[in-house]
């Protein structure tokens, strides 16, 4: 610890991180039981953002806590190859360097990606070290490591051979710029100003027409029906008639289906199976054709006739103009439209029917539902159990193919006769097929397919490694709510299928970090805050405490510089107060006998309760309650009250041994229970403690065992009363115009303060206390039946009367509320006797306070 006045994290944090690393403290070091977290693998394209900072802080806190409990802890890090994101980044880099990515062969492009990976792909892991993450870097995994890739192919082959994977035509999210299907997580929903077009669809026999409303009129080129609800009386007798599609004249049927909502508009909807997921389902039920009006690059296909080759936007303009010309366009309305935007290309996502590879998830879902319903896997907060089950009970097949080059290439090989063979290699495929192989599938697997195997493949599966035997199932998954469906559900299904056990016991859904205004953090929108900037300026501990002190079962937290400034001030308080304590431990004999006062017992009891609260908080994932308890104990109870009141004793050779012992116990215990949250400053302070049998690092210390006799409710109640009295006297001083700290000559008291007299006198800043009432003009406050009087040279009667009225009004309201409770049999008969007795005692004190306030009001009124 340096001699500087404030704590400076620069240098301290990197020093201790390297010290922990060199000591091998990030690796499992034996223990009574195993505790394992496999971190959600960040993309290799990523850099640390606030969501990562929160997630890693929670994981590190839990890992450090369980190490201190004596458990064998493994926090296993790694990265995801992130197919679309990585291919997009590398393609852009190539274009900037003058290379057309499309001019490269598959092998050449993949080689370029690996080059980029070696140069830039580990940035986020290095940044997480700055945050203090005690992860076992020797076990770092990557989803395209050779062993990991083999495991992915093995899973695909087994599911294909069992009929769980198939190729089929389905509607997917299509990015026409990247020309690939994308998952929901790779898109962002935006609401834009659009148009709603009302179009007349005439019956072929000339008997009338139906009005259709659509926001995408260009898709009418692929309409195959118009649907109405079977119970919609407006269309009774019309179902089955043929409709002439505007512009093309192609005939399509009017069909009845449960999908249309009779309450919305005309109740009739156009059915375009190739360009809407719901329409596709309708088409399947009615065996309708699936014409596709868009090419992979987003242009109108040959079925569009004269519109073929136009972009979506140009086709829409031309079609609207032609509809208007022939009289089929009835009206156009302004309309808010929800669209999905590709995160990688910025293009509007098109629902598009495409030949893709799918997993039959329905057959896998039953066990994944059972383990959550039974409580084998527990969600925190509990409400996410229902979110998960709702999704699982309505699960659809999963599109696992992507039209990319970077990723796990689908291990399907085609023979001359067109047979599809799943195999680890072409040679193996030829053996299985018994005939020559002509080509391999070009598509790669969805990133979520490989990351769904993360909890057990990272530990060595399909081999039965020691890590797999020891650490699987893992203990907890810490993740964000937006990937419950895409990742959490699939890890559960895959683990239950391949390992026949759950992948983790708990799922903690951490909060989303918003900016101070409640906006989503985004670099592109200018609303983001770079965690590395915060770490560089204020330190990792300050950032961690800011995030952890808002993390519990709440699901949105707001980051602000002010809160981080407060956290940095907390670091300074810890640093300076610890330095004061260590300075005053000079000559301390740990074996000397101590005589504890009520104040000593109070602090030890408050420390014991703080430890209980923190332990419960860490165990239940309600971390913020632990942070609040730590802050309150150190700043208020230890520093503001105990240290301030103990300074005189510390200077007295005959008295100092006891406060030295109490302070030594308090600081040592506090550092241990705070360490999982703020590892750097606690390690720095711990290194200065002059205690015996100290470990080389605080990180190696066990969790403190608090003696049961430290809990002392009587001492707590007594000292809390003294503190309440002190605060009331301080408030009385302020009302009378006296500032804090400046010592006044005498405080007059009517009532027994007992052993609390010295604390009340010293901490309300008086030279002496005298029993009685001053002769001169004075102001008065009454607390717990004790009157406190402060003499004044001159008093503002109106101001004092107003203050007395406020106190009287408040006391009467509290008394009425308490008397109502005590007169309620349901309270007095059901509550514990000691609670009822305590409430009666409080009521008695309040009656005495009201009586004295009324007397004071009468006295002031006479003046």
């Amino acid at each position: 610890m340096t001699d500087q006045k404030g704590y400076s994290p620069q240098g301290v944090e990197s020093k201790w991180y390297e010290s922990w690393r060199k000591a091998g403290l990030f690796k499992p070091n034996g223990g009574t039981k195993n505790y394992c977290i496999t971190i959600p693998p960040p993309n290799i394209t990523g850099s640390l953002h606030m969501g990562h900072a929160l997630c890693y802080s929670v994981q590190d806190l839990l890992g450090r806590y369980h190490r201190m409990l004596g458990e064998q802890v493994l926090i296993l890090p790694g990265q995801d190859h992130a197919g679309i994101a990585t291919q997009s980044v590398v393609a852009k880099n190539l274009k900037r360097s003058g290379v057309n990515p499309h001019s490269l062969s598959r092998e050449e492009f993949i080689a370029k990606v690996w080059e980029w990976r070696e140069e830039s792909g580990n940035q986020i892991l290095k940044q997480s070290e700055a945050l203090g993450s005690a992860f076992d870097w020797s076990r770092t995994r990557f989803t395209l490591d050779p062993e990991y890739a083999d495991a992915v192919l093995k899973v695909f082959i087994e599911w294909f051979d069992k009929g769980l994977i198939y190729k089929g035509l389905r509607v997917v999210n299509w990015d026409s710029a990247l020309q690939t299907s994308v998952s929901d997580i790779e898109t962002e929903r935006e609401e834009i100003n659009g148009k709603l077009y009302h179009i007349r669809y005439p019956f072929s026999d000339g008997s009338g027409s139906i009005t259709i409303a659509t926001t995408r009129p260009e898709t009418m080129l692929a309409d195959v029906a118009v649907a109405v609800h079977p119970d919609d009386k407006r269309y009774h007798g019309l179902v089955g008639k043929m409709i002439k599609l505007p512009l093309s004249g192609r005939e399509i049927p009017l069909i009845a289906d449960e999908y249309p909502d009779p309450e919305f508009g005309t109740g009739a909807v156009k059915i375009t199976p190739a360009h809407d997921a719901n329409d596709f389902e309708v088409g399947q039920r009615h065996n309708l054709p699936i014409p596709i009006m868009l090419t992979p690059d987003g242009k109108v296909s040959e079925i569009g006739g004269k519109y073929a080759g136009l972009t979506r936007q140009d086709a829409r303009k031309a079609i609207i103009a032609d509809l208007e010309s022939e009289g089929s366009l009835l009206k156009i309305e302004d309309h808010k439209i929800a669209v999905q935007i590709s995160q990688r290309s910025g293009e509007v996502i098109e629902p598009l029917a495409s030949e893709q590879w799918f997993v039959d998830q329905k057959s896998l879902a039953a066990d994944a539902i059972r383990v959550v319903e039974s409580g084998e896997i527990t969600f925190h907060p509990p409400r996410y159990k229902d979110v998960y089950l709702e999704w699982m009970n309505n699960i659809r097949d999963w599109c696992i193919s992507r039209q990319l080059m970077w990723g796990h290439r689908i291990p399907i090989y085609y023979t001359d006769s067109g047979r599809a063979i799943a195999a680890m290699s072409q040679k193996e495929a030829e053996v299985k097929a018994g005939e020559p192989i002509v080509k391999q599938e070009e598509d790669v697997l969805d990133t979520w397919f490989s990351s769904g195997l993360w909890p057990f493949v990272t530990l060595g599966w399909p081999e039965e490694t020691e890590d797999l035997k020891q650490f699987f199932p893992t203990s907890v998954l810490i993740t964000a709510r937006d990937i419950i469906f895409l990742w959490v559900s699939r890890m559960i299904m895959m683990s239950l299928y391949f390992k026949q056990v759950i992948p983790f016991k708990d799922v903690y859904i951490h909060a989303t970090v918003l900016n101070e205004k409640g906006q989503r953090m985004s670099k592109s929108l200018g609303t983001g805050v770079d965690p590395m900037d915060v770490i560089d300026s204020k330190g990792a501990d300050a950032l961690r405490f800011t995030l952890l002190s808002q993390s519990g079962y709440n699901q949105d937290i707001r980051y602000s510089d002010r809160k981080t400034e407060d956290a940095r001030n907390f670091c300074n308080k810890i640093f300076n107060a610890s330095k004061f304590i260590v300075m005053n431990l000079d000559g301390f004999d740990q074996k000397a006998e101590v005589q504890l006062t009520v104040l000593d017992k109070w602090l030890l009891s408050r420390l014991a309760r703080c430890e209980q609260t923190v332990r419960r908080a860490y165990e239940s994932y309600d971390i913020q309650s632990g942070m609040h308890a730590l802050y309150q104990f150190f700043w208020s109870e230890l520093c503001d009250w105990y240290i301030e009141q103990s300074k005189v004793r510390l200077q007295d050779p005959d008295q100092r041994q006891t406060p030295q012992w109490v302070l030594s116990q308090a600081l040592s215990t506090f550092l241990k229970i705070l360490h999982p949250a703020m590892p750097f400053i606690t390690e720095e302070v711990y290194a200065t403690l002059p205690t015996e049998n100290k470990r080389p690092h605080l990180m190696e210390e066990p969790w403190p065992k608090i003696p049961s006799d430290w809990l002392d409710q009587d001492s707590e109640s007594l000292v809390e009363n003294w503190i309440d009295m002190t605060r009331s006297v301080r408030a009385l001083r302020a009302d009378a115009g006296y500032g804090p700290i400046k010592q006044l000559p005498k405080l007059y008291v009517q009532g027994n303060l007992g052993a609390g007299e010295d604390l009340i006198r010293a901490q309300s800043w008086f030279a002496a206390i005298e029993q009685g009432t001053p002769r001169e003009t004075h102001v008065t406050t009454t607390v717990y039946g004790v009157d406190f009087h402060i003499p004044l040279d001159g008093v503002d009667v109106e101001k004092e009367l107003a203050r007395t009225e406020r106190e009287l009004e408040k006391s009467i309201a509290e008394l009425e509320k308490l008397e109502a409770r005590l007169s309620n049999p349901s309270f007095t008969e059901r509550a514990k006797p000691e609670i009822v007795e305590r409430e009666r005692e409080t009521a008695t004190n309040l009656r005495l306070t009201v009586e004295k306030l009324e007397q004071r009001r009468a006295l002031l009124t006479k003046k």
Side-chain angles (χ1 to χ4, degrees):
M1 187 181 283
T2 63
D3 292 330
Q4 61 202 21
K5 187 172 183 180
Y7 173 67
S8 177
Q10 287 76 21
V12 168
E13 295 182 345
S14 58
K15 173 187 73 176
W16 285 117
Y17 197 85
E18 284 308 308
S19 182
W20 296 327
R21 192 204 302 269
K22 288 177 182 177
L25 301 184
F26 300 158
K27 298 180 179 181
N29 286 317
T32 54
K33 64 178 184 176
N34 299 315
Y35 185 86
C36 180
I37 299 173
T38 55
I39 77 165
N43 293 351
I44 57 172
T45 58
S47 58
L48 195 73
H49 59 58
M50 279 297 176
H52 293 130
L54 172 58
C55 183
Y56 297 163
S57 295
V58 173
Q59 289 170 140
D60 188 52
L61 177 146
L62 293 173
R64 289 175 183 273
Y65 169 63
H66 283 273
R67 280 189 191 93
M68 297 179 82
L69 292 180
E71 298 174 20
Q72 181 165 238
V73 173
L74 171 60
I75 312 295
L76 191 150
Q79 287 181 288
D80 194 284
H81 65 277
I84 291 178
T86 305
Q87 181 158 323
S88 179
V89 167
V90 174
K92 288 176 182 175
N93 287 346
L94 288 170
K95 287 177 183 177
R96 280 196 289 267
S97 63
V99 177
N100 180 357
H102 300 293
S103 69
L104 302 178
S105 68
R106 185 185 197 106
E107 291 71 22
E108 288 171 335
F109 183 82
I110 290 174
K112 291 292 184 184
V113 180
W114 279 109
E115 284 178 20
W116 177 89
R117 151 84 171 143
E118 294 304 315
E119 293 171 5
S120 309
N122 289 318
Q123 180 187 13
I124 192 168
L125 297 184
K126 293 173 182 174
Q127 290 175 329
S128 67
E129 294 182 7
L131 192 64
S133 303
F135 301 162
D136 186 353
W137 302 110
S138 70
R139 285 174 165 86
T140 302
R141 299 302 301 271
F142 179 46
T143 53
L144 273 176
D145 284 342
E147 298 85 359
Y148 200 109
D150 284 349
V152 173
L153 300 187
K154 173 182 168 62
V155 167
F156 182 97
I157 293 165
E158 179 162 341
W159 275 1
F160 177 82
D161 290 344
K162 292 287 179 64
L164 290 171
I165 289 179
Y166 65 92
K167 193 171 189 179
L169 186 67
R170 295 286 188 277
V171 173
V172 298
N173 294 327
W174 188 260
D175 184 325
S176 58
L178 297 176
Q179 296 188 41
T180 182
S181 59
V182 297
S183 65
D184 291 337
I185 195 67
E186 290 155 338
T187 69
E188 292 181 359
R189 187 179 184 275
E190 287 186 13
E191 196 171 73
I192 62 172
N193 295 319
K195 303 290 183 183
L196 185 64
Y197 303 91
H198 296 261
I199 305 168
R200 184 172 61 85
Y201 277 41
F203 287 115
S204 297
D205 61 7
S207 61
S209 64
I210 288 180
T211 300
I212 299 298
T214 180
T215 59
R216 299 159 68 211
E218 67 278 7
T219 62
M220 68 185 296
L221 298 172
D223 284 357
V224 296
V226 172
V228 294
H229 195 279
D231 297 334
D232 195 332
K233 295 178 181 179
R234 291 171 291 184
Y235 301 104
H236 282 183
L238 297 177
V239 172
K241 294 188 70 169
M242 299 304 289
I243 292 169
K244 186 177 288 186
L245 194 62
L247 301 182
S248 70
R250 180 163 52 85
E251 288 193 333
I252 59 175
L254 178 65
I255 63 174
D257 193 90
E258 298 286 335
Y259 168 56
D261 180 3
E263 303 298 319
F264 184 75
T266 64
V269 295
K270 69 189 204 65
I271 302 300
T272 320
H275 299 282
D276 183 277
N278 292 313
D279 290 5
F280 184 88
E281 297 295 332
V282 174
Q284 293 294 291
R285 288 195 288 271
H286 295 269
N287 198 28
L288 298 172
I290 311 173
I292 299 173
M293 54 76 54
L294 277 182
T295 60
D297 61 353
K299 292 179 179 163
V300 176
S301 68
E302 68 276 2
I303 74 162
K306 72 173 188 177
Y307 307 106
L310 294 178
T311 64
R312 290 169 292 176
Q313 296 80 5
D314 289 342
R316 180 176 299 180
K317 292 175 186 176
I319 287 169
I320 290 304
D322 290 346
L323 286 170
E324 197 164 19
S325 296
E326 73 169 31
S328 296
L329 185 63
L330 301 179
K331 64 177 178 178
I332 304 174
E333 295 178 316
D334 290 334
H335 190 72
K336 292 285 187 182
I337 303 173
V339 296
Q340 297 295 110
I341 306 295
S342 170
Q343 289 180 339
R344 303 304 166 193
S345 68
E347 281 289 311
V348 174
I349 292 295
E350 279 290 339
L352 182 70
S354 176
E355 282 279 345
Q356 301 285 343
W357 288 93
F358 293 88
V359 173
D360 174 8
Q361 291 191 115
K362 290 181 182 177
S363 59
L364 299 169
D367 283 344
I369 291 170
R370 173 184 56 79
V371 295
V372 171
E373 286 182 333
S374 67
E376 286 183 65
I377 294 177
T378 304
F379 277 84
H380 309 268
R383 60 181 172 272
Y384 285 108
K385 173 182 177 180
D386 294 335
V387 172
Y388 169 87
L389 291 174
E390 172 71 18
W391 168 263
M392 295 300 292
N393 282 309
N394 296 280
I395 201 162
R396 295 184 176 188
D397 289 356
W398 169 20
C399 175
I400 58 170
S401 48
R402 298 290 182 267
Q403 290 63 54
L404 301 169
M405 290 185 281
W406 174 248
H408 300 276
R409 191 171 179 181
I410 291 177
I412 289 289
Y413 297 86
Y414 296 100
T415 67
D416 266 329
S417 61
R419 288 171 61 206
I421 305 295
M424 297 293 289
S425 66
Q426 181 170 333
K427 185 176 180 180
E428 182 184 302
E430 288 176 340
V431 172
K432 288 176 75 172
E435 59 178 304
I437 296 296
V438 294
K439 66 173 181 176
Q440 183 182 351
E441 175 65 59
E442 294 290 332
D443 291 353
V444 300
L445 287 166
D446 176 17
T447 295
W448 298 103
F449 189 92
S450 52
S451 60
L453 306 170
W454 186 253
F456 53 99
V457 173
T458 52
L459 294 170
W461 187 89
E463 302 300 322
E464 277 295 316
T465 63
E466 286 303 312
D467 275 359
L468 192 64
K469 292 174 186 176
Q470 278 191 301
F471 294 109
F472 193 81
T474 65
S475 305
V476 61
L477 171 73
I478 295 129
T479 191
R481 61 178 180 251
D482 57 355
I483 51 176
I484 291 174
F485 311 142
L486 293 162
W487 192 42
V488 179
S489 64
R490 287 157 184 172
M491 283 190 286
I492 295 173
M493 288 188 285
M494 289 173 139
S495 175
L496 289 170
Y497 185 95
F498 289 101
K499 288 294 295 171
Q500 294 78 51
V501 292
I502 56 176
F504 27 70
K505 301 176 184 70
D506 287 338
V507 178
Y508 173 60
I509 305 298
H510 66 69
T512 298
V513 186
L514 308 174
N515 70 7
E516 195 167 8
K517 296 179 180 178
Q519 300 168 308
R520 180 177 64 87
M521 286 200 174
S522 166
K523 286 183 180 178
S524 60
L525 297 175
T527 55
V529 177
D530 188 340
M532 294 307 296
D533 290 342
V534 179
I535 292 171
D536 290 342
S537 61
K538 298 182 177 70
D541 283 333
L543 176 59
R544 289 169 64 121
F545 192 81
T546 301
L547 298 172
L548 294 173
S549 64
Q550 301 176 76
S551 296
Y553 283 7
N554 53 320
Q555 285 299 283
D556 287 318
I557 63 177
R558 296 191 179 191
Y559 174 84
S560 73
D561 288 336
R562 178 187 55 78
K563 288 175 182 173
T564 312
E565 194 69 39
D566 291 342
R568 184 173 68 173
N569 291 341
F570 186 38
C571 290
N572 283 335
K573 187 74 170 180
I574 294 169
F575 181 87
N576 290 324
S578 299
K579 190 161 79 169
F580 172 84
I581 292 171
V582 171
M583 285 170 51
N584 280 278
L585 291 181
D586 183 44
F588 169 50
D589 180 1
Q590 296 185 35
K591 298 177 182 178
E593 189 174 337
V594 295
Q595 298 294 325
L596 299 177
T597 66
V598 172
L599 186 64
D600 299 325
K601 293 176 182 178
W602 165 78
L603 187 75
L604 293 174
S605 188
R606 294 305 302 153
L607 177 59
R609 295 202 191 279
C610 179
E611 185 274 336
Q612 286 180 342
T613 300
V614 172
R615 183 161 30 89
R616 283 195 297 266
Y618 292 170
E619 296 280 356
S620 67
Y621 308 106
D622 183 25
I623 296 168
Q624 60 186 359
S625 65
M627 299 304 101
H628 295 163
L630 287 161
Y631 186 93
Q632 171 71 17
F633 172 78
F634 193 86
W635 197 300
S636 177
E637 293 163 348
L638 176 62
C639 294
D640 288 351
W641 294 101
Y642 187 83
I643 288 179
E644 286 301 317
Q645 187 60 19
S646 298
K647 285 179 177 177
V648 173
R649 284 198 297 163
L650 285 168
Q651 300 307 311
D652 186 339
D654 296 329
Q655 297 188 63
R656 69 192 312 241
Q657 184 63 42
T658 295
Q660 280 182 325
W661 182 85
V662 172
L663 286 171
S664 175
Q665 294 292 324
L667 181 57
S668 174
T669 302
F670 171 78
L671 291 174
K672 291 173 185 176
I673 61 179
L674 176 64
H675 176 75
M678 301 175 81
F680 292 115
I681 190 169
T682 51
E683 192 72 80
E684 177 76 359
V685 173
Y686 175 82
T688 69
L689 297 185
T691 52
E692 296 177 1
N693 303 317
K694 199 167 67 170
R695 307 276 177 107
H697 298 90
L698 174 57
M699 190 175 169
E700 298 176 71
E701 285 280 5
W703 188 260
K705 293 182 179 179
I706 305 295
S708 58
D709 60 0
W710 279 15
L711 282 171
D712 186 339
Q713 183 58 55
D714 290 342
S715 293
E716 283 193 55
S717 299
L718 195 54
V719 174
E720 290 303 324
N721 286 350
W722 298 345
I723 290 172
D724 286 345
M725 290 177 178
T726 304
R727 285 173 174 150
S728 293
V729 174
R730 287 177 177 180
L732 186 65
R733 285 179 56 121
D735 286 345
Y738 294 115
I741 309 301
K742 180 183 177 182
Q743 194 174 75
L744 297 179
K746 194 175 291 185
L747 173 66
Y748 288 84
V749 177
Q750 288 179 291
N752 183 18
L753 300 180
E757 180 174 315
D758 189 58
L759 182 145
I760 295 166
R761 177 199 60 76
Q763 300 310 311
S764 55
W765 311 300
F766 284 88
I769 283 182
E770 183 175 312
Q771 285 288 333
T773 306
R775 296 179 180 179
E776 59 265 59
T777 304
H778 58 273
V779 289
T780 302
T781 189
T782 303
V783 190
Y784 299 124
V786 177
D787 291 340
F788 295 91
H789 312 288
I790 299 178
L792 298 174
D793 293 333
V795 62
D796 186 330
V797 174
E798 290 185 4
K799 185 176 179 181
E800 177 61 14
L801 181 60
R803 189 184 64 80
T804 302
E805 292 281 9
R806 287 195 303 273
E807 281 191 36
L808 181 59
E809 184 179 346
K810 179 183 176 184
S811 297
I812 290 173
E814 290 177 0
L815 180 59
E816 289 175 348
K817 184 178 178 181
L818 198 52
E819 287 177 335
R821 187 185 308 163
L822 289 168
S823 63
N824 185 350
S826 64
F827 171 72
T828 54
E829 293 171 10
R830 295 179 185 177
K832 292 181 179 179
E834 60 267 27
I835 293 176
V836 175
E837 183 57 35
R838 190 163 65 239
E839 294 291 68
R840 284 177 175 153
E841 185 179 339
T842 302
T844 299
N845 287 333
L846 277 170
R847 290 188 195 100
L848 186 58
T849 296
V850 168
E851 181 183 339
K852 294 193 174 187
L853 286 169
E854 287 174 338
Q855 292 172 358
R856 188 191 314 160
R857 180 177 63 179
L859 180 65
L860 289 167
T861 304
K862 290 178 182 178
K863 289 189 176 182

